[in-house]
Amino acid sequence: MSIDSKIKQLAKEYASETIANRRYLHTNPELSFQEYNTARFVAQKLKDIGLTPQEGVADTGVVAIIEGKNPESKVIGLRADMDALPIFEKNDVPYKSINEGVMHACGHDVHTSSLLGTAKILHQLRDEFEGSIKLVFQPAEEKAPGGASIMIKEGVLENPAPASMLGQHVAPNVPVGKIGFREGMYMASTDELYLTIKGKGGHGAMPDQLIDPVLIASHVIVSLQQIISRNRKPANPSVLSFGRFIADGVTNVIPNEVTIQGTFRCMDEEWREDGLRRMKKMAEGITEAMGGVCDFEVVKGYPFLKNHPELTRRMKNEAIAYMGAENVIDLDLWMAGEDFAFYSQVVDSCFYRLGTRNEARGIISGVHTPTFDIDETALEIGPGLMSWLAIRELVKQ
Ligand SMILES: [Zn+2]
Ligand SMILES: [Zn+2]
């Protein structure tokens, strides 16, 4: 039997167990950096398969190796994230979250159970490939500084060092049965901006006696947008959005200060630094010129996610070979962030999307919503495809 047929058969055989694992995780979600029960569950499942997991990486991360023939020849890393979100689940399903206020609303239960299924398939087929598979179950994708960055600091990309990393993410906008890829820049860096503009408040009828922080903050917001339109290379996608502008006066009282909070996202690490430097200079300069003082603070988030072009092209072609060209689609840029980006800055990486939408069954809610769910058929496709991609990448020595 050909290797892809064997993988498809095993993925089908293990699907009910993969679904049961997903439902267990969905019922028992844990917040970022608190995935203790999840990590124990994952480690136990890996032991049941016959592997020797390393626990406690980044506190709640779990790593395991599947050795094929000639295990040192090449290593491929496969990553799943394990954390849930602070959301009250509104789905009426038997596997609804019992941890009230916490929900797997980003599909990380799917990624984790899928990688467990992948582990089982690859362990079963270990005599059929050369090299090793490194399984990376990481905490806290949803929370800065990101579980990936801590896993990397604790050496997950060394001893043995993966030649490449693969990660998948559920896609509620992609029909189940389809897979999406994008070469090169794919997801954005995410930095948070916190500005406090201090002036001198007082009676609105006497502006000449005051330093109006509301007017200053308004100029600052307009000017910062001009950095995006005038200093950014047009080929560099960027977003600057302010969602919070607090001027706590009333009709005739100008407050002493205004706070503004926003997010800056882009797909170029050099421009990211340059843009932030320009924003700080602009905000401070305008405020000073208008007589106020600006406190400009940046909380750095994740870098941008770049899919290695050749690796991603190979993986896309292998996905076509496994699933048929009609089931493989091209993805658009997405200005959301994802901490898989940390791996992509260090090692050749490919992050692809697993379709989970089923319109006929009403499974259409987006990630991070209280009604997010998936078509669980994806739990046969996900492990099978990832096993296939990993083996094909090992074949290419
Ligand atoms: Zn998310
Ligand atoms: Zn996610």
Side-chain angles (χ1 to χ4, degrees):
M1 200 193 282
S2 65
I3 188 85
D4 60 322
S5 303
K6 282 184 190 172
I7 290 173
K8 281 175 183 160
Q9 197 181 54
L10 289 173
K12 195 179 183 115
E13 194 181 318
Y14 299 155
S16 59
E17 186 186 340
T18 305
I19 290 171
N21 286 343
R22 182 259 167 166
R23 291 184 171 200
Y24 173 81
L25 294 168
H26 194 90
T27 309
N28 298 279
E30 292 174 296
L31 290 173
S32 310
F33 294 115
Q34 298 170 29
E35 308 89 341
Y36 294 101
N37 177 58
T38 305
R40 267 195 303 276
F41 178 82
V42 165
Q44 187 55 52
K45 291 289 169 190
L46 294 171
K47 285 177 196 161
D48 294 346
I49 292 169
L51 300 172
T52 313
Q54 181 194 354
E55 296 173 61
V57 185
D59 200 16
T60 50
V62 182
V63 179
I65 307 276
I66 302 170
E67 294 192 335
K69 290 179 293 187
N70 196 9
E72 255 114 80
S73 57
K74 189 174 185 181
V75 182
I76 303 295
L78 306 179
R79 173 274 205 171
D81 41 11
M82 303 189 291
D83 56 326
L85 288 157
I87 292 177
F88 280 88
E89 176 156 19
K90 285 203 185 130
N91 289 313
D92 184 17
V93 288
Y95 47 90
K96 183 176 178 170
S97 167
I98 57 168
N99 186 0
E100 219 174 293
V102 182
M103 177 188 173
H104 269 296
C106 201
H108 300 184
D109 53 340
V110 178
H111 311 156
T112 300
S113 56
S114 178
L115 188 55
L116 286 172
T118 305
K120 199 160 172 174
I121 294 169
L122 290 172
H123 184 67
Q124 183 86 20
L125 298 178
R126 63 194 181 282
D127 293 333
E128 309 239 8
F129 60 84
E130 304 245 331
S132 301
I133 305 289
K134 193 172 209 173
L135 306 162
V136 177
F137 294 88
Q138 67 148 82
E141 190 286 319
E142 300 284 1
K143 192 170 181 183
S149 71
I150 303 174
M151 295 287 279
I152 293 170
K153 274 194 196 113
E154 295 195 9
V156 77
L157 295 180
E158 295 149 37
N159 300 322
S164 47
M165 287 291 285
L166 305 180
Q168 66 173 355
H169 201 293
V170 296
N173 56 337
V174 176
V176 70
K178 295 194 189 297
I179 300 291
F181 289 89
R182 184 181 182 93
E183 287 175 25
M185 51 174 98
Y186 175 40
M187 292 177 72
S189 58
T190 52
D191 294 320
E192 293 175 353
L193 309 182
Y194 295 85
L195 284 75
T196 304
I197 290 166
K198 293 173 188 145
K200 186 178 163 222
H203 200 299
M206 302 186 294
D208 57 304
Q209 313 276 314
L210 314 176
I211 296 165
D212 181 356
V214 181
L215 187 62
I216 299 174
S218 307
H219 274 283
V220 165
I221 285 207
V222 171
S223 306
L224 294 187
Q225 291 296 353
Q226 287 167 15
I227 290 176
I228 303 301
S229 90
R230 299 294 83 181
N231 300 113
R232 169 188 67 96
K233 280 199 190 85
N236 279 351
S238 277
V239 166
L240 175 67
S241 291
F242 288 94
R244 190 173 172 89
F245 184 117
I246 302 295
D248 196 15
V250 293
T251 53
N252 57 0
V253 177
I254 290 169
N256 280 318
E257 64 176 41
V258 170
T259 56
I260 314 173
Q261 295 176 8
T263 179
F264 174 50
R265 292 156 185 252
C266 64
M267 297 190 176
D268 178 316
E269 291 300 304
E270 225 173 282
W271 158 240
R272 180 185 179 192
E273 292 310 316
D274 186 39
L276 287 171
R277 206 167 28 241
R278 285 176 183 275
M279 284 181 217
K280 180 174 160 65
K281 200 173 167 198
M282 179 82 87
E284 288 175 349
I286 286 174
T287 307
E288 198 201 332
M290 295 180 76
V293 175
C294 175
D295 178 37
F296 188 99
E297 214 184 296
V298 178
V299 175
K300 284 290 196 77
Y302 305 156
F304 87 102
L305 194 160
K306 57 177 171 193
N307 278 327
H308 188 268
E310 286 82 40
L311 171 67
T312 305
R313 207 167 307 147
R314 285 200 299 276
M315 295 296 89
K316 185 183 167 188
N317 287 332
E318 294 299 349
I320 289 172
Y322 186 80
M323 308 188 47
E326 69 281 11
N327 292 318
V328 178
I329 62 166
D330 291 314
L331 298 167
D332 286 332
L333 290 177
W334 200 33
M335 297 309 285
E338 159 66 53
D339 86 341
F340 187 82
F342 283 110
Y343 305 111
S344 84
Q345 296 286 331
V346 181
V347 58
D348 296 358
S349 295
C350 174
F351 191 66
Y352 58 92
R353 295 270 159 189
L354 173 69
T356 53
R357 182 185 187 87
N358 186 330
E359 231 164 296
R361 291 182 47 209
I363 302 171
I364 53 170
S365 293
V367 290
H368 293 217
T369 69
T371 49
F372 172 74
D373 202 357
I374 65 152
D375 182 326
E376 289 178 323
T377 317
L379 289 165
E380 182 181 328
I381 298 162
L385 179 67
M386 194 176 252
S387 301
W388 167 254
L389 296 180
I391 286 182
R392 294 301 296 165
E393 195 53 18
L394 283 175
V395 167
K396 196 204 135 287
Q397 293 281 342

